[in-house]
């Protein structure tokens, strides 16, 4: 099976490439290295089944593949707000290009959409049938609306051109290889706790998120890709819900740190609550997360500790 992974050098993409190579697939990792890096897949280079292609998906590309995991898109607010016009181009033009490729070579294509399509949700927990509550003109819309258009394109290529599609909506996922400067809450808290710096809480810290460990998430993606006759969207995430304050104290505890909390202004349009309803994933994919936050966060903390190397822990 020849498999293309767009965004393959990013956090999730690199774990997916690793798993696919391990499972015997021929993998093409395509990336423009905006938020991903070669080091994430350095250990796979030289493997006979693995290839890296430097390419920006806003431009078309012709490859012969059977499966396309379409991940390319910056996912952290810091990265996707850096050049918002480019972010929406990546979601819209990039997804058109990947769907065009899937159509030409009759490949099955899976889009990694996001819980952000639910915006600041008024339904809790979020089911796939909920249409969302997204601000169309806010600072998060380049990402949220970009993904909503990407989902629309997937469905239209499916209805109009019979393209074989899969849509998953990923909820906050964490694990080793998140970039230190990625700006997402788990990496920020782990790095700050290990360095003994303040953990910055945006707003009152009572907002919630539900955190899935990367290995669980990758298993969900693989199952979705290989389940027949299921276009989705299907939520993939961990339904255990935590406040940001709870996450902060767990990070401080696991890092054995003396870091303190520092309250900062809330981010605009920051969703107040987020938690997936994963009944569909349970029913159709026979999937559910296996890693509790404490366990996954310890492994993640260890990976950051290793990466930060000789830096003084903040005891
Ligand atoms: P990431 O930023 O680490 O990875 C994205 C990758 O895409 C990077 O390697 C980046 O260089 C590449 N990329 C960006 N724009 C590109 C372009 N125009 N052409 C080619 N490559 C490009 O983020 P991630 O956390 O690994 O997320 C991967 C996917 O999963 C994204 O589509 C994201 O929207 C989705 N997702 C992730 C989460 C999460 O919690 N990690 C949650 C919901 C959805
Ligand atoms: N957050 C925080 N401190 C940080 C980074 C994030 O308090 O250093 C909060 C942020 O305001 C949000 C939650 O943590 O409420 C998750 O933020 P993240 O950027 O990880 O993801 P997203 O908002 O896209 O779910």
């Amino acid at each position: 099976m020849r498999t293309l992974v767009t965004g393959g050098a990013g956090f999730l993409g690199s774990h997916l490439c690793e798993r696919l190579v391990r499972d015997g697939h021929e993998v093409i990792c395509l990336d423009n290295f905006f938020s991903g890096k070669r080091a994430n897949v350095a250990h796979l280079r030289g493997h006979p089944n693995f290839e890296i292609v430097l390419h920006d998906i806003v431009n078309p590309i012709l490859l012969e593949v059977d499966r396309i995991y379409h991940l390319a898109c910056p996912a952290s607010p810091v990265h996707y707000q850096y050049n918002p016009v480019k972010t929406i181009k990546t979601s819209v033009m990039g997804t058109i290009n990947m769907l065009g490729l899937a159509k030409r070579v009759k490949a099955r294509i899976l889009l990694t959409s996001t819980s952000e399509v639910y915006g600041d949700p008024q339904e809790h927990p979020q089911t796939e049938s909920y249409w969302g509550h997204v601000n169309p003109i806010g600072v998060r819309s380049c990402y949220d609306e970009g993904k909503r258009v990407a989902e629309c394109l997937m469905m239209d290529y499916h209805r109009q051109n019979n393209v074989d599609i899969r849509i998953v909506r990923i909820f906050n996922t964490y694990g080793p290889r998140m970039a230190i400067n990625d700006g997402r809450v788990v990496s920020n808290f782990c790095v700050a706790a290990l360095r003994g710096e303040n953990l910055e809480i945006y707003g009152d810290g009572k907002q919630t998120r539900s955190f899935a460990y990367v290995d669980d998430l990758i298993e969900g993606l693989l199952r979705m890709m290989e389940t027949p006759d299921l276009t989705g969207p299907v939520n993939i995430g961990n339904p255990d819900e935590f406040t940001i304050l709870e996450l902060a104290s767990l990070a401080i505890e696991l890092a054995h740190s003396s870091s303190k909390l520092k309250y900062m202004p809330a981010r605009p349009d920051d969703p107040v609550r987020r938690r997936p309803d994963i009944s569909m994933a349970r029913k159709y994919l026979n999937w559910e997360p296996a890693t509790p936050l404490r366990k996954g966060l310890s492994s993640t903390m260890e990976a950051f500790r290793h990466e930060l190397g000789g830096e003084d822990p903040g005891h």
Side-chain angles (χ1 to χ4, degrees):
M1 191 80 86
R2 296 201 79 198
T3 302
L4 172 65
V5 180
T6 76
F11 162 49
L12 295 182
S14 61
H15 284 274
L16 178 60
C17 287
E18 190 176 283
R19 172 74 190 268
L20 289 167
V21 167
R22 186 161 17 107
D23 290 354
H25 295 258
E26 223 175 289
V27 177
I28 302 172
C29 163
L30 184 156
D31 210 292
N32 72 348
F33 302 109
F34 170 63
S35 51
K37 51 182 186 193
R38 283 186 173 79
N40 282 343
V41 283
H43 58 298
L44 298 174
R45 291 180 84 172
H47 193 289
N49 284 358
F50 182 73
E51 206 173 324
I52 301 182
V53 175
L54 168 59
H55 180 77
D56 194 309
I57 56 156
V58 301
N59 301 309
I61 189 165
L62 187 54
L63 296 161
E64 293 297 326
V65 290
D66 308 294
R67 297 280 187 266
I68 302 171
Y69 286 89
H70 176 34
L71 278 66
C73 182
S76 140
V78 174
H79 286 146
Y80 71 65
Q81 287 166 19
Y82 172 75
N83 183 345
V85 174
K86 180 63 196 272
T87 299
I88 196 151
K89 271 189 183 169
T90 293
S91 266
V92 178
M93 293 160 68
T95 303
I96 290 176
N97 287 330
M98 288 307 125
L99 281 161
L101 175 65
K103 180 180 153 192
R104 270 200 305 278
V105 301
K106 299 199 176 357
R108 183 177 292 172
I109 176 168
L110 179 149
L111 170 75
T112 52
S113 185
T114 166
S115 53
E116 288 281 323
V117 300
Y118 301 124
D120 188 5
Q122 292 174 317
E123 186 180 284
H124 194 80
Q126 293 80 51
T127 59
E128 291 84 349
S129 57
Y130 177 49
W131 287 358
H133 182 232
V134 173
N135 176 357
I137 56 168
V139 292
R140 291 175 87 104
S141 4
C142 60
Y143 183 70
D144 303 6
E145 298 289 18
K147 288 286 186 178
R148 287 169 70 97
V149 174
E151 287 197 14
C152 163
L153 286 164
M154 294 283 286
M155 291 307 297
D156 283 337
Y157 269 78
H158 175 61
R159 285 186 287 247
Q160 193 175 329
N161 301 110
N162 236 345
V163 174
D164 190 3
I165 62 152
R166 303 284 184 277
I167 301 172
V168 295
R169 292 182 179 152
I170 301 176
F171 284 64
N172 297 63
T173 303
Y174 68 97
R177 283 197 219 123
M178 290 184 93
I180 282 181
N181 64 351
D182 175 282
R184 280 180 276 192
V185 69
V186 172
S187 40
N188 276 6
F189 284 3
C190 288
V191 171
L194 287 167
R195 286 180 173 157
E197 295 169 357
N198 290 331
L199 274 60
E200 294 187 346
I201 309 287
Y202 305 155
D204 62 10
K206 291 185 185 142
Q207 68 270 38
T208 67
R209 293 293 187 272
S210 307
F211 299 98
Y213 189 63
V214 61
D215 291 353
D216 292 337
L217 191 282
I218 298 300
E219 180 62 33
L221 295 187
L222 295 172
R223 288 191 190 201
M224 183 71 190
M225 181 63 108
E226 297 311 330
T227 300
D229 305 322
L230 180 68
T231 57
V234 173
N235 289 339
I236 302 278
N238 190 324
D240 294 344
E241 187 180 355
F242 295 87
T243 65
I244 295 307
L245 287 175
E246 286 169 332
L247 180 73
S249 45
L250 187 58
I252 289 172
E253 180 199 322
L254 293 175
H256 309 294
S257 170
S258 57
S259 290
K260 301 278 177 282
L261 306 185
K262 182 177 176 196
Y263 286 86
M264 308 290 285
R267 291 191 309 192
D269 295 332
D270 201 356
V272 176
R273 300 184 76 184
R274 185 183 289 155
R275 174 182 167 202
D277 179 313
I278 59 163
S279 314
M280 273 189 78
R282 283 199 174 103
K283 179 168 171 194
Y284 294 108
L285 310 181
N286 192 23
W287 176 89
E288 63 181 357
T291 316
L293 182 62
R294 174 174 284 275
K295 183 163 174 239
L297 200 61
S298 322
S299 320
T300 309
M301 192 67 81
E302 278 321 298
F304 278 119
R305 196 190 295 278
H306 184 73
E307 200 174 340
L308 295 177
E311 287 188 19
D312 251 356
H315 292 199

